[in-house]
């Protein structure tokens, strides 16, 4: 019987040897039988078992205006003949008979149908000819055609210990990125499985085996109930799909919108996205039976055009697509043709799911169209429910400077190390919010197939179900996770009990709940402070259009001191498409100036929509929603502790070309994060709060605040001009005790010309509208005290008060009062480096100045030439310690000894050596400025606008107790999840076609078994099969040995050995040692 344990040990050895091959494939490898392009070929990977290096798919994008080509948008859909007639009529009426133009043919599936735009080539356009086109009654807009370039390269993932702020390195100023980066970028990070999230977990290695994201989210529960996406049309806008890919069985249509004569995917990204949604084998998608519509909008050279997207969007509307995944994005929420078309798509009941962006962990980095109210914006998490480091954070910046951003993303889901289909076969792992987006798109497709009455499914109702069912992640704020993690089963329960209604996002306002309600919960409110603005999104599941009936009603709870706060509400006049805004401004009543406590109330809103199926003309559906409000009130802080942040004079991209403050950041040349204390100045805000300061935001001109309430006005990186009235008022305020701190940045007209780009639309060179800051405007503001900044441009490391500092593309102080304190340092002349590629060190560059105004009780002024040390965007060494010292000086008149007695103190400059910087001739700042307006000759200031006036709602007090917990399980008005049970589950397997010759089987990768009875993850399933296999083999040998023993005669000599071995075995049991 020794044969049995020998074979058993051999079998177990083989199984143990094979298990790592089956279940532990390295996540960094992309399994594909072909090489899509030289740029995409991964380098060979080491076979060492402990290697931690991974591959990341590096994406580089650029765009340029196509010479002489224009997108002419119409007010409606017209035939090709009508569009041609309208354009011909408009240009003929312009009186320019010599103008050469023609309509560019567009050969794609949409060319046979009416369209709302035309692509026109104009050889020598003039401003008058373009104006003539826009003046035609049927032409809505004329915009330049854009060409997009995308480059994908596999690069090693940086070490986890590296800081996320880009490190500084030596580089030559050979050229500047001369064109605006692509506004719609692919959002895939690559094949790396783990991305640092800033939260340590001791279980990370236990989750090293990738699992199918569909099974992790329990899609197999719905599969077993017979729901597999059948009857739902889902569109993938990406790089195409191969015709005979073995993972897909229901590709309804493949369309090509590029100028290449192929429908296949030459890059692999589109195949991966489609696989996450609808793959039927190996790395399974969510909805294998859905109708897959593939829109190829990128070439194999990674080029696309705006007109390709617009045509493809029109075709998606025509084909009545239900769900559309868009794993691209960009910062330009003012790209009108694109944004308008997204609105039109959702208005036609297309549920658009889009990636929120890969620009995290910086705040204020949301991408469009995911930041739109009608789109489901998706962020990324890893498999341990940590927010992925790369996932972009809120808030939206559309509403700045006067308002406040909305909550985005809407939800988060797995986006790190997710497995999807390889380009030809097999599977691969990728990370990024472009991975999380198809996860939600696949879930939405599957959910839509579970609803019997498909009329109830629309962009609003689906988003309502997703956010109401989402599982909130602990310790994460709403601008990181939105409403929480996708919960597929709870969303199914809600959708199948749904009735049309309105809802709110967020569904309540609790300024005491941290950290979820950050930044609202980070600072209590008090009498005399700027109103706290909460921008709530109204989702209208009743119809594509709606309205708010009468006005929202404010009802304070008297037992909970609701009468201690005042509430003002503004809202969208029309809710379209499917959504609108509800801006709630909260302020403290005068009677609570010295009171501390909690105040509560709620706002009631009634939404009405036209009833689509109502027999009565003018019939409406209505829905009333309640917005609970809870705030913490404290007595008004002393003036010295109150800091006012000037938001009104900060400008950013879009719409204008405002360059980065740090010129070293050539791969990120635009200033687009909002320059707000809750976006790219978040760390500074958190630091000031930890030091006991109360920070408020001024979203109106300087004439609109009571300076006697504040100790310091903080101006950082200001690009806007100033009204003459603002300059006059600021001088008066400082004479009366207000202090001013200014953090400037570079401004040099020669450097601005160097970073220009050629706009082929106007055949002109476009310059930045300002430098890093608008130094000429700042000089106008502070000139009355004999102060000015220069146009010098400096950088370098230095030490100040025993702190290491870095000056990143800052300017110097050109003029300062002789009785002030000035600190100077030796820095490199970065302007010389940019212009002539030469290096020089300038000694004694004045960078910091402190001044006490001479008037009795007057305030203090501080100038510093660089803001990068407090800006999260590209900060390398923070100077929060210096900001503390400066606030001690401005608020309490305490001069820091480390500065007043510094060895770096120099005599204040007089400014007579060099002329002060002048505004760039021919700049277009007036186009985007709130202060300037176009004028014959130089732009002139507009009339000073009136200060914002809030209309406080008349309270309707309630003498009842407020709810103690505003958030339990988020649920819609008509749904009680406790009463919605899952139906009885019956066994069901999605239909799987047999493997054709040459295709890989289900065991090629971990978890390759199609969903059926087993719902275990890969790490649990493989040992079960190994054990069962071992039992079968052992049983076989036991049967064979039994048969052999039962035959007493005619045994061959070589068969006698087992009997002899058996005798030896018996002798061994009696204590005797056998001999051989």
């Amino acid at each position: 019987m020794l044969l049995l344990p020998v074979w058993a040990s051999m079998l177990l050895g083989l199984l143990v040897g094979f298990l790592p091959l089956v279940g532990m494939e390295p996540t960094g490898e992309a399994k594909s039988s072909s090489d899509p392009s030289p740029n995409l070929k991964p380098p060979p990977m080491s076979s060492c078992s402990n290697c931690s290096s991974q591959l990341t798919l590096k994406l580089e994008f650029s765009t340029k205006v196509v010479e002489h080509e224009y997108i002419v948008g119409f007010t409606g859909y017209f035939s090709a003949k009508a569009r041609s007639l309208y354009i011909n009529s408009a240009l003929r009426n312009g009186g320019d008979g010599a103008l050469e133009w023609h309509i560019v043919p567009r050969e794609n599936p949409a060319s046979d149908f009416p369209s709302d735009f035309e692509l026109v080539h104009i050889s020598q356009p003039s401003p008058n000819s373009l104006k003539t086109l826009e003046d035609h009654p049927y032409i809505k807009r004329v915009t330049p055609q854009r060409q997009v370039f995308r480059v994908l390269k596999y690069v090693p993932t940086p070490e986890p210990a590296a800081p996320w702020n880009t490190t500084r390195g030596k580089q030559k100023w050979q050229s500047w990125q001369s064109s605006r980066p692509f506004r719609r970028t692919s959002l895939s990070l690559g094949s790396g499985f783990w991305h640092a999230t800033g939260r340590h977990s001791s279980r990370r290695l236990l989750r090293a085996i990738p699992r199918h994201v569909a099974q992790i989210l329990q899609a197999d529960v719905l599969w077993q109930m017979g729901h597999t996406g059948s009857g739902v049309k889902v569109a993938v806008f990406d790089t195409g799909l191969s015709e005979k890919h073995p993972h897909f069985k229901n590709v309804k249509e493949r369309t090509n919108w590029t100028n290449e004569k192929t429908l296949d995917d030459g890059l692999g990204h589109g195949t991966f996205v489609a696989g996450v949604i609808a793959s039927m084998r190996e790395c399974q998608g969510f909805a294998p039976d859905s109708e897959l519509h593939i829109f190829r909008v990128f070439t194999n050279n990674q080029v696309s055009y705006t007109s390709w997207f617009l045509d493809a969007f029109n075709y998606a509307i025509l084909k009545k697509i239900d769900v559309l995944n868009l794993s691209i994005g960009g910062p330009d929420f003012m790209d009108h043709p694109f944004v308008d078309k997204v609105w039109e798509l959702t208005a036609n009941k297309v549920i658009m799911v889009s990636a929120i962006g890969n620009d995290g962990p910086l705040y204020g980095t949301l991408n469009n169209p995911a930041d739109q109210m009608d789109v489901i914006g998706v962020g990324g998490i890893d498999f341990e429910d940590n927010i992925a480091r790369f996932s972009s954070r809120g808030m939206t910046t559309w509403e700045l400077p006067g308002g406040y951003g909305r909550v985005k993303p809407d939800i988060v889901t797995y986006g790190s190390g997710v497995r999807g289909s390889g380009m030809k076969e097999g599977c691969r792992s990728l990370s990024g919010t472009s991975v999380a987006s198809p996860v939600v798109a696949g879930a939405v497709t599957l959910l839509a197939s579970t609803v019997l009455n498909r009329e109830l499914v629309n962009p609003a109702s689906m988003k309502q179900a997703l956010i109401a069912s989402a599982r909130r992640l602990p310790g994460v704020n709403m601008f990181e996770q939105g409403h929480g993690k996708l919960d597929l089963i709870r969303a199914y329960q809600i959708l199948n009990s749904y009735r049309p209604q309105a809802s709110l996002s967020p569904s309540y306002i609790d300024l005491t709940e941290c950290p979820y309600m950050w930044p609202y919960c980070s600072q209590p409110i008090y009498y005399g402070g700027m109103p706290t603005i909460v921008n709530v999104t109204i989702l209208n599941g009743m119809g594509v259009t709606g309205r708010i009936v009468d006005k929202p009603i404010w009802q304070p709870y008297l037992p909970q001191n609701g009468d201690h706060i005042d509430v003002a509400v503004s809202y969208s006049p029309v809710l379209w498409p499917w959504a609108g805004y509800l801006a709630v401004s909260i302020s403290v009543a005068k009677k609570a100036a010295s009171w501390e406590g909690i105040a509560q109330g709620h706002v009631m809103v009634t939404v009405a929509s036209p009833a689509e199926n109502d027999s009565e003309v003018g019939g409406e559906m209505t829905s009333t929603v309640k917005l609970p409000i809870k705030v913490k009130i404290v007595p008004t802080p002393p003036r010295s502790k109150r800091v006012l942040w000037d938001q009104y004079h900060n400008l950013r991209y879009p719409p204008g070309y405002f360059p980065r403050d740090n010129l070293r950041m050539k791969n990120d040349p635009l200033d687009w994060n909002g320059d707000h204390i809750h976006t790219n100045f978040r760390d500074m805000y958190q630091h000031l709060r930890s030091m006991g300061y109360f920070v408020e935001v001024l979203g109106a001109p300087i004439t609109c605040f009571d300076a006697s309430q504040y100790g310091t006005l903080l101006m950082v990186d200001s690009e806007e001009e100033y009204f003459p009235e603002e300059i006059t008022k600021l001088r008066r305020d400082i004479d009366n005790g207000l202090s001013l701190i200014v953090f400037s940045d570079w401004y040099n007209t020669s450097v601005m010309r160097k970073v220009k780009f050629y706009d082929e639309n106007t055949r002109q060179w476009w310059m930045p509208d300002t430098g890093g800051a608008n130094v000429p405007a700042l000089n106008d503001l502070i000139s009355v005290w004999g102060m000015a900044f220069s146009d010098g441009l400096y950088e370098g490391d230095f030490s100040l008060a025993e702190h290491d500092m870095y000056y990143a593309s800052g300017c110097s102080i050109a003029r300062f009062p002789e009785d002030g304190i000035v600190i100077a340092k030796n820095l490199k002349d970065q302007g010389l480096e940019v212009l002539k590629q030469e290096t020089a060190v300038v000694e004694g560059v004045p960078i910091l100045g402190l001044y006490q105004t001479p008037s009795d009780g007057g305030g203090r002024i501080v100038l510093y030439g660089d803001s990068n040390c407090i800006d999260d965007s590209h900060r390398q060494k923070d100077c929060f310690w210096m900001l503390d010292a400066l606030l001690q000086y401005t608020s309490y008149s305490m001069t820091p000894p480390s500065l007043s007695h510094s060895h770096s103190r120099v005599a204040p400059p007089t400014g007579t050596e060099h002329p002060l910087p002048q505004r760039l001739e021919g700049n277009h700042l007036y186009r985007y400025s709130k202060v300037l307006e176009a004028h014959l000759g130089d732009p002139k200031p507009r009339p000073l606008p009136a200060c914002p006036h809030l209309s406080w709602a008349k309270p309707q007090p309630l003498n009842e107790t407020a709810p103690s917990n505003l958030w339990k399980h988020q649920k819609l008005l008509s749904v009680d999840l406790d009463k919605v049970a899952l139906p009885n589950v019956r066994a069901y397997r999605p239909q799987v076609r047999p493997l054709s010759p040459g295709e890989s089987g289900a065991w090629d990768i971990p978890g390759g078994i199609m969903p059926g009875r087993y719902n275990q993850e890969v790490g649990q399933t493989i040992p079960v099969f190994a054990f069962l296999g071992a039992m079968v083999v052992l049983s076989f040998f036991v049967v064979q040995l039994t048969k052999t023993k039962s035959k007493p005669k005619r045994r061959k000599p070589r068969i006698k050995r087992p009997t002899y071995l058996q005798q030896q075995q018996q002798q061994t049991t009696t204590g005797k040692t056998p001999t051989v």
Side-chain angles (χ1 to χ4, degrees), residues 83 111 176 216 240 308 316 336 350 496 591 623 640 655 663 707 880 914 1058:
R83 299 195 304 267
S111 58
W176 178 267
I216 293 173
W308 294 355
H336 290 291
V350 178
N496 282 270
K591 65 180 180 179
S623 176
S640 58
L663 289 178
F880 298 149
H914 302 286

Side-chain angles (χ1 to χ4, degrees), residues 259-291:
N259 54 14
E260 293 181 339
K261 304 302 181 182
T262 179
L263 293 165
D264 291 345
D265 183 5
L267 299 175
H269 188 269
T271 304
F272 180 92
V273 171
V276 172
I277 296 173
S279 172
M280 68 169 180
R281 68 158 49 88
E282 300 188 87
C283 34
Q284 295 120 10
F286 284 83
D289 288 328
S290 60
E291 293 184 11

Side-chain angles (χ1 to χ4, degrees), residues 333-334 396-401 647 650-658 670-675 719 928:
F333 52 79
M334 293 186 179
T396 62
T397 57
W398 296 42
E399 299 79 7
L400 299 178
Q647 186 68 41
N650 287 333
L651 299 176
R652 86 288 189 212
Y653 175 87
Y657 177 25
F658 299 102
L670 295 174
D671 189 355
W672 65 282
N673 302 130
D675 286 344
E719 295 92 357
Y928 320 110

